[in-house]
Amino acid sequence: MADIKSNLSEIYKKIEEAQKKSKKALAPVKLVAVSKFHPAESVIEAIKAGQNLFGENRIQEAAQKFDFVRSQGYTPELHIIGSLQRNKAKDAVRIASCIESVDRIELMEELEKQCAKISKSIEIYFEIHTGEDSKAGFLTEEALFAAAERCAAGDFPHLIPAGLMTMAPATDDESQIRRSFSTLYNLRATMNEKYPSLKIKELSMGMSGDFEIAIDEGSTAVRIGTAIFGSRA
């Protein structure tokens, strides 16, 4: 098993160093520890090492895992970071505090419905497509703005738009990776100008292989799994 405590310490050190170098970093960068495909015991080990924010993308796995972790007296925060089907929205709303992968109005309608049933508000990030065709996310600004306008109009009272999320292209070309992240950085400014009531603050971008570039480009939250937990089971 990976030395999770040591790995976390090393990652936080790299995050801090990258943040000091970045001219765009405005606040401490959050670490979302991506625990998918890793057991509950690894999550508990990370919690004991001081980590309390986790990311999962498989709802059934996440529900079983985090229900168990919470039954042991721990109170981790959970973000859903993967593509979310509408039929999984009920469990996603129950177990998570944030859905980072909101990419269509139909999903927002279902999330609102499920939140209303249990009188729960939940943060959402709009996922923006900046990578390969296979990746999810809003494809155009027009589609994104249409969703934002519905939020600003009060159509989704239980959803709290709080940020943007993206996955950079899987490439060794740093200029392409930077372009992906800078697109999100600039888009946040545009959205805050157009929809000031939404208060879009977070930029969730950067993973194990590119998080230092993401921080340099203004990321406020990086999603890291392998560098913390080791190879997936």
Side-chain angles (χ1 to χ4, degrees):
M1 183 175 285
D3 187 346
I4 292 172
K5 182 176 181 178
S6 176
N7 291 346
L8 278 168
S9 177
E10 185 64 25
I11 292 295
Y12 271 108
K13 189 182 301 181
K14 290 180 178 180
I15 288 174
E16 184 178 1
E17 290 172 354
Q19 188 174 300
K20 287 179 179 177
K21 295 176 183 176
S22 174
K23 295 179 181 178
K24 294 182 177 180
L26 299 176
V29 177
K30 301 174 186 175
L31 171 60
V32 181
V34 180
S35 48
K36 63 181 180 181
F37 302 129
H38 295 283
E41 290 75 17
S42 294
V43 172
I44 291 172
E45 187 176 345
I47 293 171
K48 289 179 177 178
Q51 179 65 26
N52 202 56
L53 174 56
F54 296 86
E56 293 270 345
N57 69 345
R58 296 162 65 97
I59 302 302
Q60 186 174 358
E61 175 195 345
Q64 293 174 348
K65 186 185 307 180
F66 281 82
D67 282 347
F68 174 78
V69 169
R70 288 163 178 157
S71 76
Q72 303 304 298
Y74 301 101
T75 56
E77 183 179 355
L78 177 62
H79 286 197
I80 301 303
I81 61 173
S83 184
L84 181 61
Q85 298 174 342
R86 291 176 64 187
N87 63 355
K88 302 292 186 182
K90 180 179 179 180
D91 282 337
V93 163
R94 180 180 68 81
I95 63 176
S97 63
C98 178
I99 311 296
E100 293 199 12
S101 48
V102 170
D103 60 358
R104 59 200 186 280
I105 288 177
E106 292 79 11
L107 175 59
M108 294 165 67
E109 291 172 338
E110 186 64 28
L111 289 170
E112 172 61 31
K113 184 169 100 175
Q114 298 302 330
C115 283
K117 286 181 179 179
I118 59 174
S119 298
K120 177 179 179 178
S121 294
I122 194 166
E123 287 192 344
I124 62 169
Y125 296 175
F126 297 111
E127 182 175 2
I128 312 303
H129 183 277
T130 64
E132 294 83 11
D133 291 343
S134 61
K135 302 302 182 185
F138 284 98
L139 294 173
T140 65
E141 287 190 357
E142 289 76 16
L144 171 64
F145 294 160
E149 284 170 6
R150 292 279 305 275
C151 291
D155 290 355
F156 306 112
H158 293 86
L159 306 186
I160 306 169
L164 306 176
M165 185 267 262
T166 199
M167 294 180 64
T171 176
D172 293 328
D173 186 341
E174 185 175 318
S175 64
Q176 287 189 42
I177 296 171
R178 285 190 180 275
R179 191 178 306 120
S180 170
F181 297 147
S182 64
T183 294
L184 218 64
Y185 184 86
N186 294 330
L187 187 55
R188 179 181 62 180
T190 300
M191 291 197 71
N192 282 323
E193 184 176 343
K194 286 177 69 71
Y195 311 104
S197 65
L198 299 187
K199 296 179 172 59
I200 303 296
K201 176 184 176 185
E202 305 293 343
L203 294 179
S204 177
M205 54 191 198
M207 300 190 294
S208 289
D210 57 21
F211 72 91
E212 289 161 303
I213 298 173
I215 293 171
D216 194 43
E217 292 295 339
S219 176
T220 68
V222 294
R223 310 181 303 273
I224 299 177
T226 302
I228 297 170
F229 296 106
S231 299
R232 297 168 188 161

